[in-house]
Amino acid sequence: LITGGTGYLGGRIVDYLNQSGVQVRVANREIFVNQHSLEQACNNVTAIVHLAAMNAQDCEKDPESALLVNGLGTLRLLKAAEKEGVSKILYFSTAHVYGSPLQGKINEENLPRPTHSYSITHRVAEDYLLEADRREKLSGVVFRLTNAVGSPISWNANCWMLVVNDLCRQVVTHQRMELHSDASLERDFIPISGVCSAVSFALEQNSLDGEIVNISSGRARSLFELTELIADRSVKILGFRPITNFNKSSMSSEGERLEVSNSKLKKT
């Protein structure tokens, strides 16, 4: 069962697992309306990839709904999964549970300090899942994802507010890139194909059960580096180099560079 399987990341994971020969059931947030719907969705399911959650922008607009969907929704899903005998759940959290903005060297031993409704409610859901794992009701894995990058299954996927997707669309439609953030701001980007591989591995193996695992590239890029990479690809694929404008153009090198460690995942 893939909750949120019609979304940007979920759609790619569903496609990947289908092509790998896995029987997949897709569900969206409507199944969280009542417990009976959740139990029906979990019936005859061996594992769940739980992606259904409100995005960061919507969480900030409506913190109470964020807690209901991301937190209570996960708790209800866990109860349904336990009742129906599901053996494993992979939960997609966010690296932003470590704090905001992400800075310096970060691994799974860092103390989480979520600062906004999006990361706070994901942290709540993490704890519910890990407690279920400790009680041995099912096996749980928490994935703390940085920024997944890749094309959506459908052009109308809700993904065009994400920085890479937004910039690529700007290049195609306007032959330029406009950013309202500081050029020196760093983020860790990982291909969706890599995320799909991690999901497949965690479903097949038990070495990550009960663990919190970062899914990251292990190497951060500044937004300036990102725009240069996109511009280079535009030259190669589209035949022109787009103009890039930063609203804030500071390129300060002060402070420790961001590094979200992926060594725990790589060791497996």
Side-chain angles (χ1 to χ4, degrees):
L1 172 68
I2 315 292
T3 71
T6 58
Y8 171 52
L9 182 56
R12 286 286 302 271
I13 291 174
V14 167
D15 184 64
Y16 182 92
L17 293 177
N18 274 328
Q19 292 189 38
S20 301
V22 178
Q23 288 184 304
V24 175
R25 180 181 298 169
V26 177
N28 55 27
R29 291 213 316 248
E30 276 66 35
I31 66 164
F32 293 92
V33 172
N34 61 65
Q35 200 64 26
H36 180 66
S37 296
L38 283 169
E39 290 170 6
Q40 283 186 315
C42 292
N43 184 250
N44 293 324
V45 165
T46 57
I48 298 172
V49 181
H50 183 27
L51 291 145
M54 287 174 59
N55 64 35
Q57 293 90 340
D58 291 340
C59 286
E60 287 306 295
K61 291 177 185 175
D62 191 350
E64 292 187 7
S65 292
L67 185 58
L68 287 173
V69 173
N70 299 357
L72 184 58
T74 299
L75 178 60
R76 287 174 172 170
L77 178 64
L78 285 166
K79 288 183 177 180
E82 289 178 19
K83 182 177 179 181
E84 296 298 324
V86 176
S87 59
K88 180 178 290 192
I89 296 185
L90 311 183
Y91 175 63
F92 270 85
S93 183
T94 170
H96 287 289
V97 300
Y98 293 116
S100 182
L102 294 176
Q103 294 177 325
K105 294 184 178 181
I106 296 171
N107 61 40
E108 291 85 352
E109 300 302 316
N110 285 57
L111 180 67
R113 295 189 181 277
T115 58
H116 43 69
S117 296
Y118 178 69
S119 54
I120 290 169
T121 54
H122 273 293
R123 182 75 176 95
V124 169
E126 288 184 7
D127 285 342
Y128 282 137
L129 179 63
L130 294 172
E131 177 58 24
D133 181 272
R134 281 189 288 269
R135 290 187 288 110
E136 298 184 346
K137 295 297 184 180
L138 46 75
S139 297
V141 181
V142 171
F143 283 145
R144 287 178 176 167
L145 180 64
T146 53
N147 299 276
V149 178
S151 58
I153 291 296
S154 170
W155 68 270
N156 60 0
N158 184 23
C159 67
W160 299 107
M161 81 296 290
L162 302 173
V163 63
V164 175
N165 304 55
D166 177 42
L167 292 174
C168 290
R169 183 169 67 168
Q170 285 189 50
V171 169
V172 171
T173 57
H174 303 299
Q175 297 190 5
R176 63 191 302 118
M177 290 181 276
E178 298 278 350
L179 292 93
H180 301 290
S181 300
D182 194 307
S184 63
L185 180 66
E186 291 186 328
R187 296 183 182 180
D188 181 292
F189 299 97
I190 181 170
I192 292 179
S193 56
V195 178
C196 292
S197 296
V199 168
S200 180
F201 176 83
L203 290 173
E204 295 172 0
Q205 307 294 329
N206 58 12
S207 56
L208 296 178
D209 292 357
E211 298 288 338
I212 295 172
V213 185
N214 292 337
I215 299 190
S216 67
S217 70
R219 180 208 168 189
R221 296 178 186 269
S222 69
L223 291 185
F224 176 78
E225 291 175 301
L226 177 65
T227 56
E228 287 295 290
L229 177 63
I230 293 172
D232 290 344
R233 296 300 293 169
S234 176
V235 171
K236 184 177 179 64
I237 297 171
L238 304 176
F240 67 88
R241 190 170 194 87
I243 299 169
T244 303
N245 290 321
F246 283 94
N247 199 30
K248 299 178 182 178
S249 57
S250 168
M251 284 299 295
S252 171
S253 60
E254 294 181 6
E256 190 177 13
R257 292 209 66 173
L258 173 65
E259 181 184 328
V260 182
S261 172
N262 60 7
S263 61
K264 188 172 185 178
L265 180 63
K266 288 170 71 175
K267 285 178 182 177
T268 65

